[in-house]
Amino acid sequence: MQVRTRAVVAGGVALVLVAVVGLFIVFRQVGERLRLPFASRVCTVQANGRVALDVDQMANAATIAAIGIQRGMPERAVVVALATAYQESGLRNLAGGDRDSVGLFQQRPSQGWGTPTQIRDPRYAANKFYAALSKVRGWEQMRVTEAAQKVQRSAFPEAYQKWAAESEVLTRALLGHVTGAVACTVGGDPLLRGAAATAALTRGLALDWGLAATAAAADLTSLTVTADTERGGWRYAHWLVSHAHDNGVRLVRFGDRQWTAEQGTWDRVAGEEPSAARVVAEVFAAA
C-alpha cells in the first residue's frame, strides 16, 4: 500500500510538472503572438497615441523609418512599411518563416528579394521594400493594407490594416513630429561600451541617415549630430534612444531635454540650455 501511495504521489508530481511546463510554453507563445515587450527593457512611444515595444522591435522600427526618409519617401510610405513589418514579423528580424521567408518583411530569396543573408540585414530589407512600393502606381492613395499587399502579395491581404494606427503613432514619433516621444528603459548592461559603442553608433547613423560627415565622434564616449531643424533634431534623438541598447547609449540630449538609460524618461536639463542645433549622445564607458 505504501509503495502504491508513493507511486501515486510521484505520478501526481510528474503531472503537475508537465502542466507547469505546458503553461509556461503557452504563456510564452501567447506573449510572443501578442508581441508583449520585455518588462526590463521596454520602449514607450507617445505621439497622439501610445505604443509599447521591446528594445529590439524599437530599434528595427527606427531603422525602417530612417531608411524611408533617407530615400526621400513620403511619410505615408513609412506608415505602410511599419505596418507591413508589424504583420509579417512583429518588427523582429526573424531567421525563418513561411517556406523560405526571412527577416523583418518576410521576404523570400526564391522570389528575387536577395540572399537570406542580405534579407536578414534590416537596412537592406527596408530598402528593398521601399523600392518595390515606389513602383506601385497610385500607392499613395491606397489604404495601408492595399499598398502593403501590392508589394507583399500575402494570402491575408487585409491583415496589414490592423497595424495602421500603431504605425502612424510610430511614424509621428520617429520622424520628429512630437518632442520626447520615444522613451526606452534599457538598464546598465548594454551590448557595447566605450570606443566600440561610439564607432557602432556613428556607423548606424551613417547607414540609416547618411550622416557620415556630420556625426563625428567627439571622444571615445560621446558624439554630436548637427540638426538643421528642431524636427530634424528630434528624428535623430529618437533614433538614438531607439538604438540605445544595441549601441550602448547612456544619455541623449537635445534642446532643453535629456534622456538617460537609468531613468528611461525625457527630463528638463538643469542649468545652461544646450544648443538647439546639436543632438548630443554619450555611451557607457568601457568596463
Side-chain angles (χ1 to χ4, degrees):
M1 179 66 68
Q2 188 175 10
V3 172
R4 183 177 178 183
T5 300
R6 288 177 179 174
V8 171
V9 171
V13 170
L15 287 173
V16 170
L17 288 174
V18 170
V20 169
V21 171
L23 286 172
F24 173 78
I25 293 173
V26 168
F27 284 130
R28 184 175 180 179
Q29 290 176 339
V30 169
E32 176 65 21
R33 185 176 298 275
L34 293 176
R35 301 173 176 89
L36 296 176
F38 296 108
S40 59
R41 295 173 184 164
V42 63
C43 297
T44 302
V45 182
Q46 299 272 7
N48 298 328
R50 183 181 184 277
V51 172
L53 302 174
D54 67 38
V55 292
D56 292 329
Q57 292 171 304
M58 194 70 241
N60 288 329
T63 287
I64 290 171
I67 293 296
I69 297 306
Q70 186 185 168
R71 290 182 63 93
M73 298 293 288
E75 292 190 14
R76 180 70 171 176
V78 175
V79 175
V80 175
L82 288 170
T84 302
Y86 247 129
Q87 171 59 27
E88 296 291 354
S89 68
L91 289 171
R92 300 187 188 283
N93 193 14
L94 301 179
D98 180 44
R99 287 171 282 189
D100 60 336
S101 300
V102 295
L104 286 169
F105 297 91
Q106 289 292 279
Q107 294 154 334
R108 298 180 59 190
S110 63
Q111 293 183 345
W113 288 98
T115 68
T117 299
Q118 288 175 322
I119 297 171
R120 285 295 306 284
D121 178 347
R123 295 167 179 114
Y124 174 93
N127 268 301
K128 293 292 284 187
F129 178 86
Y130 286 122
L133 180 64
S134 66
K135 295 177 182 178
V136 176
R137 181 176 298 179
W139 70 266
E140 299 93 334
Q141 286 74 49
M142 297 177 184
R143 290 189 304 144
V144 167
T145 198
E146 292 167 351
Q149 174 64 5
K150 288 290 185 180
V151 176
Q152 300 296 107
R153 301 192 181 279
S154 169
F156 305 96
E158 288 293 320
Y160 305 103
Q161 193 64 33
K162 65 176 175 285
W163 303 110
E166 287 89 341
S167 299
E168 288 169 356
V169 171
L170 288 174
T171 298
R172 284 192 292 269
L174 292 170
L175 300 191
H177 289 292
V178 181
T179 63
V182 178
C184 297
T185 302
V186 299
D189 58 341
L191 298 179
L192 298 172
R193 289 175 174 268
T198 305
L201 201 57
T202 304
R203 179 175 181 272
L205 284 164
L207 292 173
D208 281 12
W209 290 104
L211 295 178
T214 56
D219 52 46
L220 294 180
T221 59
S222 67
L223 58 82
T224 299
V225 181
T226 301
D228 294 333
T229 64
E230 181 180 5
R231 182 178 162 197
W234 280 112
R235 287 181 179 180
Y236 303 145
H238 290 156
W239 184 96
L240 287 162
V241 173
S242 299
H243 283 278
H245 177 66
D246 55 347
N247 286 290
V249 180
R250 76 165 194 86
L251 177 150
V252 178
R253 182 181 300 162
F254 180 59
D256 63 348
R257 299 289 186 89
Q258 177 175 285
W259 169 92
T260 62
E262 181 181 3
Q263 297 296 327
T265 57
W266 285 95
D267 300 307
R268 298 283 180 181
V269 179
E272 185 178 352
E273 183 175 330
S275 169
R278 295 186 302 119
V279 183
V280 178
E282 295 182 5
V283 301
F284 284 93

